Amino acid sequence: MTEQPVNVADFERLASERIDAGALGYFAGGAGDERTLRRNADAYAEWELIPRVLVDVSAVDSSVELFGSGLSMPLAVAPVAFQRLVHGDGEEAMARAAGAAGTAMCLSTIATATPASVEAAAPDTTKWFQLYVFSDRAVTEALLAEAVEAGYEAIFLTVDAPFAGRRERDLRAGFEVDVDAPSVTAAIGSDRPVSIKEVFGLVDASLDWDDLASLVAGCELPVVVKGLIHPADAELAVEAGAAGIVVSNHGGRQLDGVPATIDALPRVADAVGSRAPVLVDGGIRRGTDVLVALALGADAVLAGRPPLWGLAVNGEDGAREVLEILKAEIRLGLALLGCRTPADVTREHVARAIRP
Ligand SMILES: Cc1cc2nc3c(=O)[nH]c(=O)nc-3n(C[C@H](O)[C@H](O)[C@H](O)COP(=O)(O)O)c2cc1C
């Protein structure tokens, strides 16, 4: 590497030089006009941090506890499909990177590695499993059983993707996946290349609140609902027994035109209160973005593309480096904000930026 990347943007630039054009469109892109994709990141700039001074910040502790596990920081790795497309070491390397940085990784249903092989590669990493419920319930149940058996600690049920968003970069490129995803192979009974649309064609679009309640009742792990932005849906999820909420618009890849997640977060956090942890993802590129999210009611955040760029640039080491950079930014940001822990960050620590 000729240039030493020092932040997420540097990794993004280097990754975009390394990833094939078709796959880059898949990973970087969003739905429709990509308004939501852009808003997710841009909306953070509309908040300003308001530090308090003369607070003893000689010992900052950025750790949090989530779903029974201790994490080194309030940021974990979001589920991102098909990671072997950017690096041959795939999800196993991502899981090791997360563990080395002291945080958790959420494995996608449409990963290029099985839950068991990720567990074998990274036994000490806190692992969560992201679930898409396929119409073929036997495939879904087998995957879920494998994740439980392999010691995953929570299930993240993704609810914003009954169908794939219209991702025009993929349409233009005629993008097709050329790596094997074991769950997809099991569901279609073959390992031929598939289109993203075809993958989502496996997802059961009839899933409803009763299915969530059944999943919660039948699953021995905490079930976290990922992919809502309406406070009334957060309320329903908690009532159905969700152990947590992820305010998410799937990184701007599903319904274009929905708000930035940071703008949706405060109302969801108010609706949920202290009944369950509230996470947010989408557009987080800096430790200071994480501080804004904490101030507006999040207990923690997920990052999707940033660690993926790290994986693309330098495998496990690259993903770990991105996570370490974000952790250092969070820790320094906490101290400079006058907060010793993530829990010390309150709404008093942010204000809407006032522009002339
Ligand atoms: C290429 C890509 C693939 C994704 N695959 C999944 C997936 O399989 N399951 C899921 O729940 N979310 C998936 N997501 C959404 C992420 O979990 C997360 O919500 C999003 O990436 C957050 O935005 P960020 O990339 O700006 O951090 C994917 C996102 C990207 C960019």
Side-chain angles (χ1 to χ4, degrees):
M1 208 180 304
T2 49
E3 174 206 359
Q4 183 61 33
V6 301
N7 60 25
V8 169
D10 288 348
F11 273 97
E12 177 170 4
R13 196 162 16 81
L14 290 175
S16 67
E17 291 161 7
R18 278 174 168 70
I19 303 174
D20 289 346
L24 182 63
Y26 171 67
F27 285 101
D33 293 317
E34 301 188 335
R35 287 184 192 166
T36 297
L37 173 71
R38 286 190 296 277
R39 273 295 296 163
N40 272 349
D42 291 350
Y44 279 97
E46 291 165 20
W47 291 95
E48 289 174 344
L49 294 161
I50 314 292
R52 299 302 306 268
V53 296
L54 294 178
V55 177
D56 176 357
V57 289
S58 54
V60 165
D61 177 2
S62 62
S63 66
V64 292
E65 195 178 310
L66 267 186
F67 315 122
S69 294
L71 311 183
S72 63
M73 60 175 156
L75 179 145
V77 177
V80 167
F82 298 121
Q83 295 184 11
R84 238 174 214 83
L85 284 172
V86 302
H87 195 281
D89 295 343
E91 287 83 356
E92 288 93 339
M94 185 67 90
R96 282 194 297 267
T103 194
M105 176 203 181
C106 190
L107 182 72
S108 168
T109 284
I110 41 182
T112 52
T114 63
S117 93
V118 173
E119 160 61 14
D124 298 331
T125 301
T126 297
K127 289 175 292 296
W128 304 323
F129 184 69
Q130 178 267 322
L131 185 69
Y132 282 126
V133 175
F134 287 167
S135 303
D136 185 339
R137 293 293 169 103
V139 170
T140 305
E141 276 160 28
L143 262 173
L144 201 50
E146 186 181 331
V148 172
E149 172 73 16
Y152 285 55
E153 289 166 35
I155 300 301
F156 282 51
L157 177 71
T158 297
V159 294
D160 58 8
F163 299 97
R166 196 175 155 82
R167 303 175 192 157
E168 296 180 1
R169 297 197 206 194
D170 293 348
L171 296 177
R172 286 210 177 83
F175 178 62
E176 290 205 344
V177 176
D178 58 1
V179 287
D180 184 31
S183 68
V184 176
T185 306
I188 64 174
S190 120
D191 59 0
R192 66 182 165 73
V194 288
S195 68
I196 299 300
K197 193 166 170 228
E198 199 175 3
V199 172
F200 278 93
L202 305 171
V203 173
D204 185 350
S206 76
L207 209 71
D208 63 14
W209 293 106
D210 290 338
D211 292 308
L212 171 63
S214 310
L215 179 69
V216 169
C219 184
E220 60 195 76
L221 299 180
V223 176
V224 178
V225 174
K226 173 178 183 282
L228 57 79
I229 55 168
H230 199 298
D233 280 343
E235 184 75 40
L236 287 170
V238 171
E239 280 166 14
I245 303 290
V246 186
V247 178
S248 175
N249 53 36
H250 216 108
R253 300 164 71 79
Q254 287 299 109
L255 182 61
D256 194 31
V258 305
T261 46
I262 195 61
D263 290 336
L265 170 67
R267 292 207 300 150
V268 172
D270 285 345
V272 173
S274 58
R275 289 180 292 170
V278 174
L279 282 65
V280 64
D281 73 20
I284 290 162
R285 302 292 179 263
R286 285 282 184 188
T288 44
D289 298 337
V290 181
L291 300 182
V292 171
L294 295 175
L296 293 175
D299 294 282
V301 308
L302 303 178
R305 295 179 184 86
L308 197 279
W309 302 143
L311 183 71
V313 171
N314 199 18
E316 176 186 342
D317 288 348
R320 182 180 41 77
E321 176 111 35
V322 165
L323 294 170
E324 293 291 358
I325 287 172
L326 288 168
K327 185 163 64 181
E329 290 183 354
I330 292 168
R331 292 174 60 82
L332 178 63
L334 282 171
L336 298 182
L337 195 58
C339 296
R340 275 187 288 269
T341 70
D344 290 345
V345 183
T346 69
R347 282 199 196 185
E348 305 298 311
H349 289 99
V350 287
R352 276 278 182 195
I354 298 166
R355 305 275 178 233

